[in-house]
Amino acid sequence: METRTLRMIFGLSSGKEWVLSLSNPRTDLTEGDVTAAMQAIIDSDLFLVGPDMIVRAEIVSRNVTEVVA
């Protein structure tokens, strides 16, 4: 079974990174989709110590093989 996670990496004004991971992203995501979502998160000002800039985004795929179920 393969699992996929969208990792959105933002920059903080302190120079550190802030990561938001979401399970089961759509398979047809484009760079534009992800950039728009990341910018909306920055613009929302939802977090006390929130992201200031987009650093990068990545989709992480992981295969799990059950040996004993």
Side-chain angles (χ1 to χ4, degrees), residues 10-30:
F10 299 88
L12 299 174
S13 58
S14 65
K16 294 186 179 187
E17 289 186 343
W18 188 89
V19 180
L20 179 60
S21 295
L22 300 171
S23 300
N24 304 314
R26 289 187 351 231
T27 56
D28 63 343
L29 286 178
T30 66

Side-chain angles (χ1 to χ4, degrees), residues 15-63:
K16 294 186 179 187
E17 289 186 343
W18 188 89
V19 180
L20 179 60
S21 295
L22 300 171
S23 300
N24 304 314
R26 289 187 351 231
T27 56
D28 63 343
L29 286 178
T30 66
E31 181 179 353
D33 293 333
V34 177
T35 300
M38 293 176 80
Q39 190 60 53
I41 291 167
I42 292 169
D43 295 343
S44 72
D45 205 25
L46 288 174
F47 303 96
L48 188 59
V49 178
D52 296 321
M53 69 183 105
I54 296 171
V55 174
R56 69 182 181 280
E58 55 200 20
I59 293 179
V60 178
S61 297
R62 187 176 91 147
N63 286 310

